[in-house]
Amino acid sequence: MSLSNPWFVIALVGVLGVFHLEFFATLLNLARLGRPVPPDLAEVFPEETREKLGEYIRDSKKVEFTQEVTLLGVLVVFWWSGGFGWLQNWAQSQGHGPVVTGVVVIGLVLLAQTWLSLPFQAWDTFGVEARHGFNKTTIGTFINDHFKGLALMALLGIPVAAALVWFFETQAWAALYAWLFLAGFTLLMTWLSPRVIMPVFLKFRPMEEGELKDAIFALARKLDFPVAEVSVVDGSRRSTKANAFFAGFGKTRRIALYDTLLESHGKEEIVAILAHEIGHNKCRHVPVMMTLNLLEMALMLGLLGWVLKSPGFFAAFGVQGTPVGMGLVLFGMIYKPLGVLTGLLGLAMSRKHEFEADAYAREAVGSHQPLTNGLKKLSHDHLAHPSPHPLTVWLHYSHPPLAERLAALQGNPRAV
Ligand SMILES: [Zn+2]
């Protein structure tokens, strides 16, 4: 662990660089809260909403920033006091093979990270979200969710971690096998998530018969989009924030709407929001994003395979030898800056897709008005930043800022 080791410098610059970039972006973004709201949004963000909104965003950022600083501090102290070497030696001294040892190391680091973040999550949910009237989660649900999450992480994470460690410990073409394995796993999760995983946290019930359900099926027929079932999800048990999503492929597709969306939006708005979701499907956005993710995964695993063979990389963290499990944990730190770059690309693509889905929805329902109204309500209810700084948009926004979406919907994207 010294500055003469290039891996040490890369990791240090990566971790601190990304932290400072994020901090700078947040400051710029907060400074823009004082700006006048774009004229189009004046009705969405009247004076009193804007004050509430400024407080909400500042409060959330305070939690986020304190969490980041704490985690960074713990990481640096652990790293520089030889914690990684100590952890690796302890795990090895338990006398298991490299795969079990690797999984134990990965599991302990993830567990430590999760528990260190937990107080901040609680502060955010019961402090910030509650103070601003969003939170519906009880302490019981919060604790329950946490343990369900941990159980799920163990159930899915242990086999995946074991497979990855095994590939890189024993196979010459490990990066390729790991890539194929993770691609298969991602597909499996896409299928499993709405069927098995989401029902662990949320309750789905079939939507009752009525005008809205008829309108949804009429839209699906008109757009030639087979839907097997429309469900309502009890999002209101946790938050007042609304949402809608799709699940499944082909003829078994299920539409799920948060009960909070049904409460806050009219029939036409909900239909327009669904038309937007169908637009994502019709424009083939899912396979495009999946291909991008697979390409990034290939880049990451190729790099990982190379790094795992470099003793200097491990030495930068005070670890002797080239233990794969520990390597997987440490790789995250040098991958950070590259991850920001690939993230920029993915988010830019996602924002482009949002414009396309909006345009599709406008054609599908024959007017921009219902989607415009729906988006305004969502944005108002979520207390979104009215004019976020471009740097924050590039780094974090999977959806374009509301003002840009509304301008594009009304056919004059240049107005922003
Ligand atoms: Zn969308």
Side-chain angles (χ1 to χ4, degrees):
M1 281 192 286
S2 82
L3 289 171
S4 60
N5 182 343
W7 290 109
F8 181 78
V9 179
I10 293 174
L12 192 63
V13 170
V15 169
L16 294 181
V18 171
F19 174 81
H20 283 94
L21 175 68
E22 294 284 356
F23 183 58
F24 183 58
T26 302
L27 287 184
L28 287 177
N29 203 34
L30 288 178
R32 302 238 321 187
L33 279 172
R35 281 200 163 194
V37 169
D40 219 23
L41 303 185
E43 49 159 327
V44 189
F45 299 108
E47 196 53 42
E48 52 158 295
T49 307
R50 286 186 48 205
E51 260 169 47
K52 256 173 52 188
L53 180 140
E55 266 172 49
Y56 172 63
I57 295 179
R58 269 187 285 268
D59 283 355
S60 322
K61 285 292 160 193
K62 211 184 294 168
V63 178
E64 207 183 293
F65 179 67
T66 320
Q67 174 174 0
E68 297 282 311
V69 172
T70 310
L71 288 178
L72 182 70
V74 171
L75 170 70
V76 169
V77 170
F78 188 73
W79 176 6
W80 291 1
S81 63
F84 290 114
W86 170 83
L87 174 62
Q88 181 61 35
N89 290 339
W90 174 82
Q92 273 169 3
S93 72
Q94 304 302 303
H96 301 291
V99 175
V100 175
T101 307
V103 172
V104 167
V105 167
I106 296 171
L108 286 177
V109 171
L110 285 182
L111 206 58
Q113 235 172 34
T114 310
W115 281 342
L116 273 174
S117 309
L118 197 62
F120 298 99
Q121 235 179 30
W123 178 12
D124 188 51
T125 307
F126 300 109
V128 179
E129 298 281 315
R131 176 145 24 99
H132 294 276
F134 290 130
N135 182 48
K136 292 279 190 70
T137 307
T138 59
I139 303 216
T141 309
F142 183 83
I143 295 174
N144 222 329
D145 278 359
H146 173 69
F147 284 105
K148 280 183 193 165
L150 277 186
L152 208 62
M153 202 162 91
L155 199 70
L156 297 169
I158 291 174
V160 172
L164 288 179
V165 175
W166 183 78
F167 285 135
F168 283 100
E169 283 282 359
T170 61
Q171 303 295 312
W173 292 83
L176 178 65
Y177 296 145
W179 184 75
L180 290 172
F181 171 76
L182 286 179
F185 181 76
T186 310
L187 277 182
L188 179 73
M189 287 308 294
T190 317
W191 189 84
L192 272 184
S193 168
R195 287 173 177 74
V196 182
I197 297 174
M198 295 186 64
V200 174
F201 296 96
L202 296 163
K203 279 206 186 70
F204 290 75
R205 64 179 158 83
M207 177 182 270
E208 53 255 31
E209 301 299 324
E211 243 180 89
L212 178 61
K213 195 172 178 180
D214 294 342
I216 291 174
F217 275 106
L219 175 82
R221 258 196 312 277
K222 179 175 150 197
L223 302 178
D224 191 23
F225 182 83
V227 170
E229 197 186 327
V230 183
S231 321
V232 179
V233 180
D234 66 337
S236 60
R237 226 153 49 86
R238 287 180 178 73
S239 168
T240 61
K241 292 179 178 176
N243 211 342
F245 57 87
F246 278 117
F249 305 102
K251 298 216 182 305
T252 61
R253 254 183 303 234
R254 226 158 95 171
I255 293 177
L257 300 167
Y258 274 57
D259 51 0
T260 38
L261 185 77
L262 300 183
E263 275 158 31
S264 55
H265 288 65
K267 183 181 82 183
E268 249 123 66
E269 292 158 6
I270 292 175
V271 167
I273 291 172
L274 281 176
H276 167 100
E277 297 300 332
I278 293 175
H280 279 308
N281 198 282
K282 293 280 179 184
C283 304
R284 309 226 133 267
H285 291 158
V286 179
V288 170
M289 288 312 268
M290 217 174 248
T291 310
L292 263 186
N293 287 341
L294 286 176
L295 284 176
E296 190 196 358
M297 217 187 271
L299 169 77
M300 212 160 86
L301 290 168
L303 264 177
L304 176 68
W306 175 57
V307 162
L308 287 178
K309 291 196 188 93
S310 317
F313 164 70
F314 289 89
F317 296 95
V319 177
Q320 285 170 338
T322 57
V324 169
M326 180 55 92
L328 289 177
V329 168
L330 301 176
F331 178 70
M333 286 207 251
I334 56 157
Y335 188 73
K336 254 191 170 184
L338 208 56
V340 171
L341 284 181
T342 55
L344 289 180
L345 188 72
L347 289 171
M349 182 66 85
S350 164
R351 290 193 301 273
K352 181 172 163 277
H353 287 167
E354 292 307 320
F355 282 128
E356 288 171 11
D358 282 351
Y360 179 91
R362 180 183 57 198
E363 302 311 315
V365 301
S367 153
H368 74 80
Q369 208 58 55
L371 188 59
T372 296
N373 295 344
L375 289 176
K376 281 182 177 173
K377 270 191 197 162
L378 278 179
S379 195
H380 175 269
D381 295 350
H382 285 227
L383 286 183
H385 196 310
S387 44
H389 190 275
L391 185 58
T392 294
V393 175
W394 291 331
L395 285 172
H396 297 293
Y397 274 48
S398 60
H399 289 57
L402 179 64
E404 286 180 32
R405 286 180 81 176
L406 295 185
L409 266 174
Q410 285 153 30
N412 51 341
R414 300 262 161 260
V416 181

